[in-house]
Amino acid sequence: MASLTRFSVKPLSTMTRQLAAVAAGRADPDVVIKGARVLSTYSERLLADREIWLTGGRIAAVKPSGAHKGSAARIHDARGSIVAPGLVDPHIHIESSMVTACAYAEAALLNGTTTIFCDSHEIGNVMDVGGVEAMLEDARQAPLSIFLTVPSTVPATSPRLETAGGDLTAAKIAALFDKWPEAVALGEKMDFVQVAMGDERSHAILAASLERGRPVSGHVYGREFVAAYAASGVTDTHEAIDREIADEMLEAGIWLFLRGGPPTTPWHSLPQAIKTVTELGASHKRVAVCTDDRDAHDLMLFGLDWVTREAIKAGMTPQQAWAMGSLHGATRFGMDGEIGGMGGGRRADLVLLDDDHKPVSTWYGGELVVEDGKITPRLDEALSTRYRYPDAAYHTVKLPKQVKLTPPLPTGTVVAHTIKTELPGITLGHVTVRLEPAKTWQDHFDKHGLCFVTVVERHAKSAGNVAYGLLSNFNLKRGAVASSVGHDSHNIIDVRAFMPGPDGPLPPFPKPELLKLPWPIRLWRWPWWPWWWWWYCWGCISAKRAQQVFDAMSATSCAPLTVPAPCIPFLYPDDGCWARAHEMCRLMINMGLSPRKVWIDASTHLHVNTKNNPNCFVEWGWHVAPTLCVRGPYFFQHQEMVIDPSLFTTPVSKATWKGVQGDPGATLTDTDATQFWHGGGDDPTYSNTNYYLNVYRLALQARAVQVGPPPYAYCP
Ligand SMILES: [Zn+2]
């Protein structure tokens, strides 16, 4: 029997005379599907009593019931059902399902999906061009229409953080486009900060796609970046998490792919983002639905058909939702002449639906591949011979014979920066713990709820590099678990509890040093009081001097439209307080002062009214500002005053500072000026400080350009 792939249906250019003959009634169709209600994605109507004429794997015509008079055609009785075009998934990663393209095809067809646009970003990160090309060979042999959006951001992070197996330069990406016609677009350009900041490599990759007339897919968080992103030629995104950013992207000319994911995860952003249509009145004509990533198990539970039904649940009509699941993805990639609807000449990729819009049967290129929810013998046979990946693909884990998976036990007191895990699992926390000397790791783990996490690099160029860390809140008490699957570099992550065993001799237990307490007994005698005061308030400044320092800080505030470095973006209070605080401390230290910092952590959330945000408020989980010791208001007194020009015009007490942040249950923590990150860690060279100051200067500038410079006079 003939193979069943995307190429089983001949190109339209070779079939027009045959199709015209059938549509005009001069020749008999191969297949007639009778008595169906047709879901039209073109007019978004349900058309009663139609029959669909197929020939050579394409739709010749959709006609009123009873139009077919011939006798040669195979008749399929679809009475009572809805027939709709096969679903088109405009953005997925096959590797996330940990199956090959051929295996993915089976699950897709069962869900009524007949075309996918995949981004083989993960195999690209492991095997570079070789992996992407192997997957393209796999895709060509699969019974599914698979197009490639060429991975655009490999490696996905800085090589200073970890080593990936791939390095897809602009030249390699250009060569992929030129060699593979199914490479129809550039895949999600996820380094949106670099794109917005004009990074040379990122823009060379964009150019490789644009100069070949291929569109660019995106991935962006943060409204501040939308304008620069659109201006860089990006024309779709699947990362809109709420209706406001969704709205902004639509207006910037960016197609919106609403992502549905398992409902307990943060990936299920569709119900929020779709409100741009259901609440803000935007048209859905440039809105599609997609799946992005699926565990193999979830493929059958949360396929694109399920996402489409979620769109119905969120308020779209079934016809609108199905158009978002088929025609719109096709149109976005310029393929609506071939797929996404049931017009004449289109591929006969069809789905038969029940009244709940659940797929019952699927035709792929005119062949029945799923019938009553089960794959047909035709598909079973097509799947029995599958593409085999080259041997190299099975040998991508390169490790030395011995890798030590746990770090040595610290002998003295150390501060450990641990990674806090938290469900649903997309965001990690940073928690510092103080490890006093102990006999074994078990003592630390019991006390702080920790376990080991070790990353072992597995790519040839870095094989065996090991980094040790500690996880908190992971609740692993015994045993170990490891994975070589981890977006994006796919290094090996090993998580384990403490296992007693030969691990070298235990270090001697150090004696804790007794703390030498000063005992200022003499100070009780009255003649010493003034000296005591000077000693106690040493390093503190007058209230007048504090105001001068405050004004010096305010004077560095960025002009919103030009943001000349080294200005401080006080007028962008949304984010980046840690960089502002660190820069202020640097300036104060240069002025001969001894600043400290105060950190506030919300019990629920911090809410501050401000004229410097178009919403007239900002919300934080935490915030930080420098403090200075200020003498007064009375003799013998001093207090730490907070210097925070993002909120105030004068130094304020910590109580006042906390008071405006609207969360009486919030907690304050004092640290010295060297702490840079929330939770610990310094930045002695100010490289991180400068990086983040620049990010938020640009964010301020972007906002000023878009909605006008702050302050916003309409705010109360
Ligand atoms: Zn993606």
Side-chain angles (χ1 to χ4, degrees):
M1 199 178 269
S3 69
L4 181 59
T5 68
R6 177 161 67 88
F7 307 99
S8 304
V9 177
K10 285 187 277 172
L12 179 61
S13 57
T14 67
M15 286 179 65
T16 50
R17 298 185 73 202
Q18 178 188 346
L19 285 157
V22 173
R26 295 193 304 274
D28 220 21
D30 308 339
V31 179
V32 176
I33 301 170
K34 286 204 157 179
R37 286 172 286 163
V38 164
L39 191 160
S40 167
T41 50
Y42 302 130
S43 63
E44 297 181 350
R45 291 179 297 184
L46 202 56
L47 311 171
D49 288 329
R50 300 293 153 128
E51 57 188 41
I52 305 141
W53 297 4
L54 312 183
T55 189
R58 291 185 179 272
I59 297 169
V62 176
K63 301 251 178 174
S65 273
H68 179 249
K69 305 289 187 214
S71 54
R74 273 176 285 148
I75 306 294
H76 189 101
D77 187 352
R79 247 174 311 173
S81 304
I82 300 167
V83 176
L87 292 170
V88 175
D89 199 331
H91 179 73
I92 77 125
H93 308 274
I94 293 174
E95 303 97 303
S96 293
S97 306
M98 290 185 261
V99 297
T100 63
C102 284
Y104 186 92
E106 182 177 356
L109 293 171
L110 282 161
N111 293 329
T113 301
T114 47
T115 303
I116 62 171
F117 292 84
C118 77
D119 178 343
S120 41
H121 171 81
E122 307 302 334
I123 201 167
N125 259 292
V126 175
M127 290 182 66
D128 203 72
V129 169
V132 176
E133 294 197 319
M135 194 153 236
L136 282 167
E137 291 288 358
D138 184 11
R140 284 186 170 189
Q141 298 183 25
L144 188 71
S145 299
I146 302 178
F147 297 94
L148 179 76
T149 63
V150 181
S152 64
T153 318
V154 175
T157 54
S158 155
R160 283 176 303 160
L161 293 173
E162 63 175 334
T163 315
D167 180 21
L168 292 184
T169 59
K172 290 182 191 175
I173 286 168
L176 278 167
F177 276 128
D178 294 341
K179 181 169 168 191
W180 299 85
E182 58 266 65
V184 294
L186 188 67
E188 56 178 314
K189 197 82 195 82
M190 58 182 80
D191 54 342
F192 56 91
V193 176
Q194 283 89 329
V195 170
M197 290 169 92
D199 176 75
E200 205 178 318
R201 174 181 165 121
S202 298
H203 283 261
I205 288 170
L206 293 170
S209 183
L210 294 170
E211 69 197 13
R212 286 169 175 75
R214 309 296 214 290
V216 176
S217 295
H219 162 130
V220 62
Y221 300 100
R223 294 173 72 185
E224 296 76 31
F225 299 104
V226 172
Y229 209 49
S232 304
V234 181
T235 39
D236 74 47
T237 179
H238 53 280
E239 295 290 349
I241 52 168
D242 58 40
R243 61 174 205 177
E244 277 71 27
I245 193 164
D247 214 47
E248 206 150 312
M249 296 207 205
L250 276 180
E251 292 298 354
I254 295 177
W255 279 84
L256 215 55
F257 300 164
L258 304 178
R259 178 175 53 202
T264 52
T265 67
W267 291 276
H268 192 45
S269 49
L270 176 143
Q272 289 307 317
I274 204 168
K275 290 180 181 171
T276 184
V277 176
T278 56
E279 293 182 2
L280 299 183
S283 162
H284 66 292
K285 69 182 176 189
R286 284 169 68 86
V287 181
V289 291
C290 75
T291 58
D292 200 359
D293 302 283
R294 283 293 181 277
D295 285 345
H297 172 70
D298 287 345
L299 280 177
M300 298 319 301
L301 300 172
F302 306 110
L304 190 61
D305 59 318
W306 173 84
V307 182
T308 305
R309 290 192 297 276
E310 286 292 296
I312 299 173
K313 244 202 249 171
M316 307 304 292
T317 69
Q319 288 72 245
Q320 290 172 330
W322 206 268
M324 285 158 57
S326 55
L327 179 65
H328 294 191
T331 308
R332 188 276 177 274
F333 292 109
M335 289 193 197
D336 52 315
E338 187 74 358
I339 51 173
M342 289 168 61
R346 272 50 167 200
R347 283 183 59 100
D349 295 343
L350 303 171
V351 200
L352 194 129
L353 303 169
D354 66 14
D355 279 359
D356 297 325
H357 302 91
K358 289 193 175 138
V360 176
S361 300
T362 307
W363 285 266
Y364 177 63
E367 305 242 25
L368 191 61
V369 287
V370 175
E371 188 169 25
D372 293 330
K374 291 192 181 65
I375 67 168
T376 59
R378 178 76 181 94
L379 178 60
D380 197 25
E381 198 230 296
L383 288 169
S384 61
T385 49
R386 299 186 186 199
Y387 172 74
R388 191 185 148 81
Y389 278 73
D391 273 351
Y394 296 87
H395 299 99
T396 60
V397 179
K398 315 268 190 216
L399 289 176
K401 280 213 173 63
Q402 288 225 309
V403 178
K404 194 164 155 30
L405 290 172
T406 56
L409 186 71
T411 51
T413 301
V414 296
V415 173
H417 299 274
T418 75
I419 301 165
K420 186 180 179 195
T421 58
E422 210 145 18
L423 293 172
I426 198 169
T427 341
L428 298 169
H430 175 186
V431 174
T432 42
V433 294
R434 197 179 156 83
L435 303 179
E436 306 287 349
K439 282 203 181 91
T440 69
W441 276 110
Q442 191 62 51
D443 300 342
H444 296 310
F445 288 8
D446 289 345
K447 192 168 168 193
H448 302 288
L450 302 174
C451 62
F452 296 116
V453 57
T454 302
V455 175
V456 185
E457 295 200 318
R458 49 70 75 93
H459 300 296
K461 56 188 167 186
S462 60
N465 279 347
V466 180
Y468 301 110
L470 297 169
L471 276 189
S472 60
N473 200 37
F474 192 68
N475 293 318
L476 183 73
K477 304 286 182 215
R478 281 187 301 154
V481 52
S483 172
S484 65
V485 179
H487 297 190
D488 298 292
S489 296
H490 298 274
N491 283 311
I492 294 168
I493 302 170
D494 176 282
V495 174
R496 59 185 52 223
F498 173 72
M499 294 179 216
D503 202 36
L506 287 175
F509 188 74
K511 280 187 204 150
E513 247 178 82
L514 283 174
L515 219 61
K516 292 182 190 81
L517 289 172
W519 190 245
I521 187 76
R522 289 179 189 187
L523 301 179
W524 287 101
R525 290 204 220 154
W526 69 268
W528 290 94
W529 279 24
W531 298 111
W532 172 82
W533 180 71
W534 278 113
W535 170 75
Y536 187 58
C537 296
W538 185 81
C540 299
I541 57 175
S542 69
K544 192 176 160 201
R545 176 83 177 124
Q547 183 66 51
Q548 286 169 351
V549 174
F550 188 100
D551 295 342
M553 298 300 125
S554 291
T556 66
S557 184
C558 295
L561 287 164
T562 51
V563 294
C567 70
I568 302 181
F570 291 118
L571 296 176
Y572 189 85
D574 310 42
D575 211 349
C577 59
W578 66 96
R580 299 195 302 267
H582 213 59
E583 175 67 359
M584 282 192 275
C585 285
R586 185 182 72 82
L587 296 172
M588 291 181 199
I589 291 164
N590 287 348
M591 294 166 84
L593 300 164
S594 311
R596 290 171 56 80
K597 286 183 186 172
V598 60
W599 305 72
I600 182 167
D601 281 283
S603 67
T604 53
H605 60 272
L606 303 170
H607 178 109
V608 186
N609 294 320
T610 169
K611 288 182 191 288
N612 293 332
N613 182 294
N615 294 325
C616 307
F617 66 85
V618 289
E619 295 202 324
W620 303 313
W622 58 273
H623 181 54
V624 60
T627 59
L628 286 171
C629 180
V630 179
R631 292 192 300 267
Y634 303 107
F635 189 60
F636 288 126
Q637 275 194 331
H638 69 243
Q639 59 173 328
E640 294 280 321
M641 298 292 273
V642 186
I643 309 294
D644 193 351
S646 72
L647 301 182
F648 294 96
T649 52
T650 61
V652 295
S653 70
K654 285 194 241 174
T656 305
W657 186 69
K658 180 181 173 184
V660 300
Q661 301 190 52
D663 181 3
T667 49
L668 297 183
T669 312
D670 297 296
T671 66
D672 65 27
T674 57
Q675 180 168 328
F676 175 67
W677 301 101
H678 179 240
D682 56 8
D683 183 29
T685 62
Y686 295 91
S687 60
N688 282 306
T689 307
N690 286 327
Y691 175 82
Y692 283 102
L693 285 174
N694 197 33
V695 166
Y696 295 109
R697 273 179 212 127
L698 291 176
L700 170 63
Q701 184 181 40
R703 174 177 288 165
V705 170
Q706 284 168 29
V707 295
Y712 301 103
Y714 58 83
C715 291

